[in-house]
Amino acid sequence: MTPLLPEAAARRTDRPSVRRPAIVAALCAAALAVTGLTAAAPPERDTDPDTARAAVLPYQDPTLPVPQRVDDLLGRMTLDDKLGQMTQIEKDALAPQSDLATYRIGSVLSGGDSTVSPNNAQTWADTYDALQRTALATPLGIPVIYGIDAVHGHNAVRGATLFPHNIGLGATRDPALVQRIGRAVAEEVAGTGIDWSFAPCLCVARNDRWGRTYESFGETPELPTAMTSFITGLQGSALGGDPASVLATAKHYIGDGGTTGGVDQGNTQISEAELRAVHLPPFQKAVERGVGSVMLSYSSWNGVRSHAHKYLVTDVLKGELGFTGFVVSDWAAVDQLDGQTGFTGAEIATAVNAGVDMVMVPHDYKRFLSLLRGEVSAGRVAMARIDDANRRVLTKKFQLGLFERPLTDRSYTATVGSAAHRALAREAVRASQVLLKNDGGILPLPRTGRLFVAGKSAADIGNQSGGWTVGWQGRSGPVTEGTTILQGIRGAVADPARVTYDRYGNGIDGSYTAAVAVVGETPYAEMRGDRPDGMGLDQEDLQTLARLKASGVPVVVVLVSGRPLDIADRLPDWRALLASWLPGTEGGGVADVLFGDHAPTGKLPMTWMRSASQQPVNDGDGKSPLFPYGYGLTYGTGPGPDPDPDPAPVKACTATHKLVGSWPGGHQAEVTVKNTGTGPITGWTVDWELGGSTVTSLWNGGHTVANGRITVRNTSSNGTLAVGATTSFGYTANGTAGTPAPRCTPA
């Protein structure tokens, strides 16, 4: 365990924003004596407290503009200082901890299985502060920035609030809720001192075999784009603008959700037009929201790895999109560029020259720094590139306020797992539930009935939380605190004694009102989660369901999974099916929907396959799914008495054209179709003059072109629109966009 030091002044509180020059000088002298490295030492200054503020170096003056502070600090940094700022290492790799100062390390992270002991918020905060004090003892006192995968809550910390994974949040269709969740996560992360979350994942998952499908908000670009509101929740309206501001990360740039076969870290073999149309929009929106960092993907685009792709990283992300934050590599990804274990100078030069600003090493930092120094000395990495990377990293450190408030703000430590955050998580759980089948209106369940509950995930907080839960891959069992789905059910009924539970379905008879089977997947994360073969339920689930079916009791299935599963042949046996995704620690939200405290409102963020052989299956691809993208039932109230006949409904619709982005010789646009009539429509067509443009790809619709005019028709999943409802389709085209005036015709 990292040595702990006594608590000092808190970060992001009323700690004086300016260090006394005498203290700075003492720290500098001590650090130089320990490390033997050279640095631009601060000049002698007046130590009279009354004149201390005037004697502070410009980069230490919080009243100066950030660019001016960065310029001043860069001018004082040695090459060792600069290379250290580009280096991120795993906390547990530090040997000894003083290496953090010796090698001027700029960032520390905790990987998926990196923890503290005892694992609680207090120990995390103490560990952070100890590391930060070590960094501050360097001659220039540059603080570290600490990163962690807080992807569905502060999930490395036992007792933290765990929210639904992104696939469930996508089902809510509620960006405002997602922003509130981002704020809650920021408070819990800040309460442990950590400044930087490797979230959100903005991948567009196009093949459900992919083991990271649950990290995607949805299969169409519009849904992850909308959910970039999470970034605003984490960072606040401006980075560092409030005490719990945490640096967000848009990941993984770019196309990791579109690999051939859904293979993790695979090859995305698509045209640039499709890459721009499907996978780029969420990142473009993230940049517009001011996201502080972007993490690159392990995957390749047409055979070239993202970490080596200067066009995508420097030209498109930093140039075209105008991203001013810093780019960080994924875990040991630079070391993978040549397919061999162990860093080479060529790998490092390739990645840094492609636009990587900070390398997640994460272990062999001494070799990495030595090789990077060699590449700079040999001229293969220009100092201008090194300075640019440092400018980007230091800017975010200044904006976060790390120079003024470097230690944990302990006022937020108590928010970890707080009642308010758990209530928010429960709200998110119930909003994420997607009701796919409800024959005979068996749901909501009666509170006074006699219920039998079965299934391996009914009483398992680990299963319902999924991967990235107190460990990289997650695991079954009581891994953290929370409410299981079974506990939620027992808390919802009038008499908990009338709820019988057996994991395997043993002991059920015909006396029960209904049987609730909580089945699905057990935890996994990247790589291990890929399902190249079957995508159905496992043998235990099938046997449990068979026992329930044999009893003759109506079966309600609650499916806990990180993606749609192949269940079409089993569906006739079930009276109801509720997709619960991976709800996290608040299983009471599932019970809220089962018993009708809240009607289900979730909509499918992924097309639900009819069979695994359909993969990949996505909205608008012409395949016939079991349940289309956007599908979701709710509880009806039934028609009330209405003796007066209604007038015949009028069918009408409008189409609105919006330019999403443009590049030399091409553009991307989105068209929104709205039912403006007084009755539902069951189909629509939209047409307009192309004005010389040529459509290269179109999604969420079928199209034909004749005489310079394009006609777009609805797909099977987006043709039916209730009054006031909208849907959209998008396209890319060669040529200028012009000002199209699309015309909508209802079916």
Side-chain angles (χ1 to χ4, degrees), residues 203-449:
C203 53
V204 182
R206 305 291 287 176
N207 191 319
D208 299 339
R209 295 187 185 279
W210 187 37
R212 304 190 81 150
T213 296
Y214 65 80
E215 296 186 56
S216 172
F217 290 110
E219 70 181 33
T220 66
E222 294 79 12
L223 199 45
T225 299
M227 297 308 180
T228 56
S229 57
F230 188 84
I231 293 168
T232 304
L234 276 181
Q235 297 190 165
S237 57
L239 188 62
D242 68 66
S245 182
V246 168
L247 192 80
T249 308
K251 69 180 190 184
H252 300 86
Y253 183 84
I254 180 176
D256 55 340
T259 61
T260 301
V263 175
D264 190 53
Q265 304 186 21
N267 189 18
T268 301
Q269 297 170 288
I270 58 176
S271 67
E272 182 171 350
E274 185 175 348
L275 187 77
R276 286 177 173 274
V278 175
H279 300 281
L280 189 62
F283 291 95
Q284 182 172 0
K285 188 64 177 180
V287 172
E288 292 173 5
R289 285 186 179 271
V291 69
S293 68
V294 169
M295 183 183 291
L296 300 185
S297 172
Y298 285 116
S299 61
S300 304
W301 176 45
N302 294 331
V304 180
R305 289 185 181 269
S306 296
H307 285 76
H309 216 302
K310 185 175 182 180
Y311 171 69
L312 290 179
V313 179
T314 296
D315 296 349
V316 176
L317 176 63
K318 293 181 175 180
E320 181 182 322
L321 300 189
F323 175 60
T324 58
F326 65 90
V327 172
V328 63
S329 78
D330 208 335
W331 178 278
V334 172
D335 187 14
Q336 294 184 9
L337 289 180
D338 65 1
Q340 304 294 320
T341 301
F343 278 113
T344 66
E347 286 177 314
I348 295 169
T350 295
V352 172
N353 288 332
V356 175
D357 302 305
M358 182 184 290
V359 175
M360 191 184 295
V361 175
H363 292 106
D364 195 358
Y365 51 92
K366 297 176 185 177
R367 177 171 174 79
F368 168 77
L369 284 165
S370 175
L371 289 171
L372 177 54
R373 187 180 295 106
E375 294 302 301
V376 174
S377 298
R380 290 186 287 270
V381 175
M383 276 305 303
R385 175 78 270 272
I386 299 298
D387 285 344
D388 173 60
N390 272 260
R391 186 178 302 279
R392 290 170 177 271
V393 172
L394 293 171
T395 295
K396 296 309 167 187
K397 289 186 176 184
F398 278 117
Q399 289 174 344
L400 278 169
L402 293 181
F403 284 80
E404 289 72 54
R405 303 176 297 275
L407 302 180
T408 306
D409 185 341
R410 303 289 173 137
S411 69
Y412 284 103
T413 306
T415 69
V416 177
S418 67
H421 290 171
R422 290 190 182 278
L424 176 61
R426 184 169 180 168
E427 177 186 346
V429 171
R430 59 182 178 243
S432 69
Q433 303 299 290
V434 180
L435 182 61
L436 297 173
K437 182 178 181 179
N438 192 23
D439 279 3
I442 190 173
L443 294 180
L445 294 169
R447 298 181 187 278
T448 57

Side-chain angles (χ1 to χ4, degrees), residues 162-164 172 421-435 443-444 447 458 461 464 482-492 558 560 578-602 635:
L162 299 188
F163 296 87
T172 71
H421 290 171
R422 290 190 182 278
L424 176 61
R426 184 169 180 168
E427 177 186 346
V429 171
R430 59 182 178 243
S432 69
Q433 303 299 290
V434 180
L435 182 61
L443 294 180
R447 298 181 187 278
I461 200 81
Q464 74 186 44
T483 301
T484 66
I485 295 172
L486 175 62
Q487 289 171 327
I489 291 172
R490 284 181 168 153
V558 175
V560 173
L578 187 70
S580 288
W581 314 110
L582 299 171
T585 54
E586 307 312 305
V590 178
D592 289 341
V593 171
L594 286 174
F595 291 92
D597 288 329
H598 296 268
T601 57
Y635 302 147

